[in-house]
Amino acid sequence: MNHRLIYRAALPLFLLLSLTTRAGAGNCEFVAKPAGSGQIGTWIDRDNWLSEAHRRVTLQAAEVFVPTRQYQPVSIGSATPRLLPENLPVRDPLDASLRDLGFVLDSHLRADAVLVLRQGKVIGERYRNGYRPEQPRLLLGATRPLLNVLGSIAIAQGKAKADQSLSRAVPALLERSSLRKFSLQRLLENSEGFNWSAEELSDWRAQSARSDGHPEGVRAWLAADARWPRKLEDLPPLENQQTPDADLLAWSLSSLYQRPLADVFCEQLFRRNPPRYPVHWLTDTAGNELGNGLALSLHDFAQLGQVLLDTRAAAGRSRVPSWLVEALATKNRGRTAALAGLPKGSEQRYGFVHLGGSGSRVALIGDGGASLMIDFDRRLVVAMYARPASGEERTLRDGLMAVWDALGQMSRSMP
């Protein structure tokens, strides 16, 4: 038999299989998992696991307390970490004296993990306080800007129109007049939201943080007659990331795609390269993903910054619409309100912050200590998991800016 003929006949099939495999490489298979024991040690349980005192431990073990949907890679590779230079000069934001990188990370930011990408490659990483590179960490409010990105993708793909009301996006809420006046675009812009009372927020947090909450889950809580009608209000920048509005958006996205939210997230944002490490998405008792429930390894969190960076560099090849990245990255020449601890001219956009000053830098600053900085000019991404003390937002932002500036200067001297 002519082997050359067999090869020619088989080649198209081989190429087809190869393309099929490559096209599906970004898909993740999530599996529902029940909550764990609900207890860590003697003191931490379902009632207090999200308290400030326990978060250094519990944000890396949220699946112990709440049901999840989990993605597990087929294999987890290991590599020798390329350490960040501890003695890199950093301008201390408190007294303007020159310190070193390690001092600022430990003293001002209480950073558990830092990872720096340049041109898509890791140029430095640092881990402390028992953090393991492969361990997913709960992002809390830092999930919300990523949901805004997914919403922009849904609009770009024709799943929804920008001016479409939330009541149309979620048929179960069709009769809620408050939602008929609130468009998907306005929700994604993240500058206004519904005015939830302190009692409602406390009740909502209890529903989200416990595995023994309402059997019908957070969506039943949102749909209840007692929640509506409700007025909209302007939101202070970088505040109120953790509100029921995040669950409204999560519900809308799942409804628009007719898919579980975790699947939509992975298919749209990890299309080219699946996550390297496990991904957890916390759910309510009914199995629906929570709007503040994404848990990622630091590496995979950094890769989301790389996705935004690559979108601008290669328009048309990413599912993230170029108009969103331009909205984030383009300097606004008008007047903007000051954001304490950030450069003059910094402005919140779609839950991210366009950093003022020269250059084109965008930051995601979560209310749980997770942050992501994307420098479009230097093709630099800095991801960090930190644990600043409660009420020290200004110190956190000052410290982040000092570290970002120093790492940006370091990258300049690299080939």
Side-chain angles (χ1 to χ4, degrees), residues 258-277:
Q258 293 295 296
R259 300 285 307 280
L261 181 60
D263 294 347
V264 175
F265 163 75
C266 205
E267 289 169 1
Q268 302 302 328
L269 294 179
F270 284 99
R271 179 172 64 99
R272 294 186 178 276
N273 297 296
R276 175 182 293 184
Y277 298 119

Side-chain angles (χ1 to χ4, degrees), residues 31 129 298 325 329:
V31 178
N129 306 310
L298 187 66
V325 176

Side-chain angles (χ1 to χ4, degrees), residues 95-398:
D95 61 8
S97 62
L98 274 180
R99 307 281 189 178
D100 57 51
L101 178 66
F103 176 88
V104 175
L105 289 174
D106 291 333
S107 299
H108 295 325
L109 298 174
R110 297 165 64 196
D112 294 330
V114 185
L115 187 143
V116 183
L117 299 176
R118 185 174 181 273
Q119 306 279 11
K121 297 180 180 179
V122 177
I123 63 169
E125 50 193 318
R126 181 184 194 264
Y127 304 105
R128 293 290 187 273
N129 306 310
Y131 183 84
R132 304 193 312 275
E134 74 278 6
Q135 179 65 44
R137 183 186 189 273
L138 184 60
L139 299 182
L140 292 177
T143 307
R144 174 61 192 275
L146 302 177
L147 295 184
N148 295 338
V149 174
L150 287 179
S152 72
I153 293 173
I155 292 173
Q157 292 179 340
K159 298 291 183 181
K161 294 182 179 179
D163 59 357
Q164 180 173 320
S165 70
L166 291 185
S167 60
R168 288 186 59 196
V170 183
L173 300 175
L174 191 59
E175 300 304 317
R176 304 304 181 192
S177 59
S178 302
L179 294 176
R180 289 201 296 270
K181 302 173 184 177
F182 197 28
S183 70
L184 179 61
Q185 179 67 27
R186 288 170 69 187
L187 182 61
L188 300 181
E189 289 173 359
N190 215 171
S191 60
E192 56 185 339
F194 290 109
N195 59 337
W196 305 97
S197 70
E199 291 78 15
E200 286 174 319
L201 288 173
S202 178
D203 187 33
W204 168 75
R205 291 190 186 100
Q207 294 288 336
S208 303
R210 298 180 61 92
S211 62
D212 55 355
H214 193 289
E216 295 182 31
V218 172
R219 293 182 181 181
W221 187 92
L222 284 170
D225 290 339
R227 309 289 164 248
W228 312 100
R230 184 168 300 278
K231 293 182 179 180
L232 288 166
E233 61 183 4
D234 292 335
L235 299 177
L238 298 180
E239 295 184 19
N240 298 319
Q241 289 180 334
Q242 295 187 64
T243 73
D245 293 0
D247 282 313
L248 278 173
L249 179 52
W251 192 356
S252 299
L253 290 168
S254 180
S255 178
L256 289 170
Y257 279 93
Q258 293 295 296
R259 300 285 307 280
L261 181 60
D263 294 347
V264 175
F265 163 75
C266 205
E267 289 169 1
Q268 302 302 328
L269 294 179
F270 284 99
R271 179 172 64 99
R272 294 186 178 276
N273 297 296
R276 175 182 293 184
Y277 298 119
V279 178
H280 296 172
W281 204 309
L282 276 58
T283 72
D284 60 15
T285 50
N288 297 308
E289 294 90 338
L290 298 174
N292 292 304
L294 177 60
L296 289 173
S297 71
L298 187 66
H299 179 277
D300 292 321
F301 186 45
Q303 286 300 320
L304 295 178
Q306 189 66 38
V307 167
L308 295 179
L309 199 158
D310 290 343
T311 297
R312 198 181 198 204
R317 295 179 57 189
S318 171
R319 292 188 179 181
V320 178
S322 57
W323 59 259
L324 173 69
V325 176
E326 289 305 315
L328 296 178
T330 303
K331 185 175 182 179
N332 186 349
R333 299 187 183 279
R335 291 186 175 182
T336 60
L339 295 176
L342 298 178
K344 183 179 179 181
S346 296
E347 182 182 32
Q348 179 172 282
R349 302 175 185 175
Y350 293 89
F352 294 79
V353 176
H354 175 87
L355 298 174
S358 61
S360 182
R361 296 188 296 177
V362 173
L364 186 165
I365 305 175
D367 55 11
S371 64
L372 192 64
M373 191 279 291
I374 305 113
D375 187 328
F376 290 95
D377 298 330
R378 295 170 178 158
R379 296 192 59 77
L380 191 73
V381 175
V382 181
M384 186 184 305
Y385 289 155
R387 284 297 320 124
S390 178
E392 294 186 357
E393 289 83 4
R394 172 63 188 264
T395 301
L396 168 67
R397 297 172 195 169
D398 279 335

